[in-house]
Amino acid sequence: NPPITVPLDECPIIIEDDRTGLSIETIRRALLDNLYYVQGKTPQTATKNDFYMALAYTVRDRLLKRWLSTQLTYRKTPVKTVSYLSAEFLLGPHLINNLISLNLYDPFKKAIEESGLNFQELVDQEEEPGLGNGGLGRLAACYMDSLATLEIPAIGYGIRYEFGIFDQEIKDGWQVEITDKWLQYGNPWEIARPEFAQLVKFGGYTESYYDQDHIYRVRWVPRYTVNGIPYDTPILGYRVNTANTLRLWKAEASESFNFERFNVGDYYGAVRDKVACETISKVLYPNDEQIQGKELRLEQQFFFVSCSLQDMIRIHLNKNASLDNFHEMWSIQLNDTHPAIGVAELMRLLLDENNYDWDTAWNITKNTFAYTNHTLLPEALEKWPLNIFGRMLPRHLEIIYAINHRFLDEVRIHYPNDVSKLACLSIIDETGEKYVRMAHLACVGSFAINGVAALHTELLKSDVLRDFYELYPEKFSNKTNGVTPRRWMVLSNPRMSFTICEKIGDSWIKNLDDLRQLEGYAEDGGFRNYWQQIKKEVKQDLANYIQAKLDIKVDPHSLFDVQVKRIHEYKRQHLNVLNIVTLYNRIKNNPNLDVTPRTFIFGGKAAPGYFMAKLIIKLINSVADVVNNDPVICDRIKVIFLPDYNVTFGQRVYPAADISEQISTAGKEASGTGNMKFSLNGALTIGTLDGANVEIRESVGAENFFLFGLTTEEVYAIRANRYTPRDYYNSDEELKAVLDLISTGFFSHGDPNLFRPIVDNLLYSDPYMLLADYRSYVDAQDAVGCAYRDQDHWGRMSILNVARMGKFSSDRSIKDYCNDIWKTKPFAIDVPEYMQSQA
Ligand code: 73E
């Protein structure tokens, strides 16, 4: 291996062979080198984690060249950059993903094994960065992957939470939360950049003054400032030279503050303030689609948004003479309203710190931001009480009032004499206690607004954002979500990926539409057989894992029926439970009943303060206890709740599923992305016409999808006529028997009170209409059971699902964002020779 010469900027440097070499011998030597010089260990004293760290550094060494070249290229070139602002990035483990992107999986595995180490054991050492709750954060991670793979200049901005989403344990059937210490043993994938720290102001007051040109200006005198330290993680594209950056901010006390305290001799006071500042990036709020309105959350949002905007301005001014063309060089995507304060912050930075006049500043701002809405749930729409907001961000409140004032003038011209429109559209909610409505700020301050699935976008236009759609129809478009096939196929399902590559080559990894070439093989009996065999092997892997984790034996020949996602009433995990209890009753009433053996697998976390969600977890585990141990059932149904569902576990479970549960009440799930991962891995879906299910069904064909339940229109119509769930209970024998059995305390050791909140909620209010959908769900589940008996036909349906999932690649989503919203183009970075060969 001759040393590789890399042109870094204008001065070429030679990088030592051990940092870049790719022969097995070099990788082995590099591993020991990193163990010795970075971890400070010899093989005799090294722990598994030391070896993992050395391995990670050895991989990192081999990606730095791409990362640095990418950043240098962007710095020199006037390219438009996408800035993805998100309070959450749910990345999942980096190691294997990076090896696959670099095309170095095989040599590394070999080098590790030849060193006498267990490759998988080292891989399992990596703590996944769980810096997100669920779909929204995972989407941001998939989009970062696609942006890099498509060679789009982009940067992701977020928060470097010290504690990500909690770890879940199950004790006596209940969820117990454990703090996630992902940084405990160090994070080899990030590099701190304290030289690019940014100061963020909070609190205090504003004052006006006239500058030297006698122009009226406002200055914000903060009560305190916080320092934001950026930590950068490279995001490699797949088999390209692009490595974009994810920049996450950590909060630290600013020096000036410490210094003041220190000067007056208050050493402990200074330390206390330091600790208080650092709480800003301490912990991720563990609520998915449920907003608590806590001050610390607003502090987090403003903190990372202010750091990020100041950072963009710094980068911009490195290559441009002024900020006049800021909106031509940047498109900032707001991942929901969590970073929407950015609209007011960019205005402040332009007006107060760069002396722009209002109209110029507003023109730049409203041409920079684009807003993605992710939810229709009223409890997830962010609004901040005016007093909290004004106390923390006094200048921003003034700016928002000024934006609103001008905006409402525009509304008045559009709708003369219609005061109700003003109240509906205003950024300030004045119907009761006053609030700042963040979605309204985002709509007014953005040039584009999108939903995340076709149905969701239609519902935004007709319902939640109807008035904005009427006013600005040209801003609205749909961008159906997607998932990255690199992590969600190549990495997590190597068996199926390999099988597909054997048949149609590997172009599908970058052009998922190419999977369509598999359609022909659906008619090949031999292939169908092979396909089902592969599935069985993957199921056996999961069965082994379940055995090891929970000491429960499951049969890989049974139908694996999987529902993994956050626990939420609208996602209706308890509807799934009602079906399980229905099957249980049927077998108990007729022990010789010929049922398709099934393993029901659940996984998901409940928000720590969400009582009903936690009770649903307890219900699942209680039903599991009874069903799994009843000799009459005789293993024909098994119920498994797998604790601590996260990205790593998702990678195991999606490939092993036969049926995917996508059973939310129509009109409630904006898109869903788990639905895509299952189908891409050959599971069939049982689902409602909700979110992206609608489009998945269209793509894979109605005959390869188990549909049930009310449509959104029917849900609305039944609600309008006063829904009475009791009618369904009274008119359906099986449903009645199920609810009665739960009510008697059969699953709670005779305690009739334990699950009463669930049963009463269903009988007397049932906001998510489980009872209305029960019969159609159970019937569809029966159809699933029947269909599974014809393995050959099931295999055909499974292949067709995979073959027709091309649309749901996050590459397609990102291309749509690029073409319709960001107007950005790929910018290729040279590919070194060895990258061009395929393994
Ligand atoms: O339907 C999913 C969607 O697939 C939606 O519920 C989720 O976003 C996914 C990606 O588009 C979502 N999460 C949140 N809102 N929508 C949310 C809200 C507040 C805090 C954290 C997450």
Side-chain angles (χ1 to χ4, degrees), residues 138-153:
R138 184 53 234 175
L139 185 77
C142 283
Y143 283 0
M144 290 305 294
D145 177 282
S146 286
L147 282 162
T149 298
L150 295 168
E151 305 177 290
I152 308 293

Side-chain angles (χ1 to χ4, degrees), residues 544-562:
N544 296 345
Y545 180 81
I546 292 172
Q547 175 84 58
K549 280 263 150 169
L550 299 179
D551 200 21
I552 302 178
K553 199 173 166 56
V554 304
D555 177 6
H557 296 281
S558 66
L559 192 168
F560 278 17
D561 179 325
V562 186

Side-chain angles (χ1 to χ4, degrees), residues 88 133-137 139 285 287-291 297 335-336 338 372-375 380 382 452 481 570-571 668-674:
E88 306 189 3
N133 275 283
L136 172 138
L139 185 77
Y285 274 91
N287 306 313
D288 194 73
E289 306 209 56
Q290 218 188 4
I291 295 307
R297 166 108 175 156
N335 201 21
D336 216 286
H338 317 153
T372 305
N373 173 292
H374 293 265
T375 180
E382 290 192 297
V452 290
N481 284 167
Y570 86 78
K571 297 180 188 279
K668 292 292 177 189
E669 188 72 87
S671 163
T673 42

Side-chain angles (χ1 to χ4, degrees), residues 460-511:
L460 281 182
K461 293 198 283 193
S462 63
D463 195 6
V464 180
L465 298 178
R466 186 185 55 229
D467 296 313
F468 282 100
Y469 179 59
E470 235 179 75
L471 192 63
Y472 303 128
E474 72 288 349
K475 286 193 188 184
F476 282 73
S477 74
N478 174 245
K479 296 287 167 285
T480 299
N481 284 167
V483 300
T484 168
R486 272 74 65 184
R487 184 175 293 272
W488 297 113
M489 263 299 256
V490 179
L491 186 158
S492 56
N493 202 347
R495 282 194 181 84
M496 184 181 278
S497 300
F498 192 72
T499 304
I500 295 173
C501 287
E502 273 181 335
K503 285 289 174 201
I504 63 169
D506 65 2
S507 65
W508 58 273
I509 299 172
K510 280 191 160 207
N511 293 298

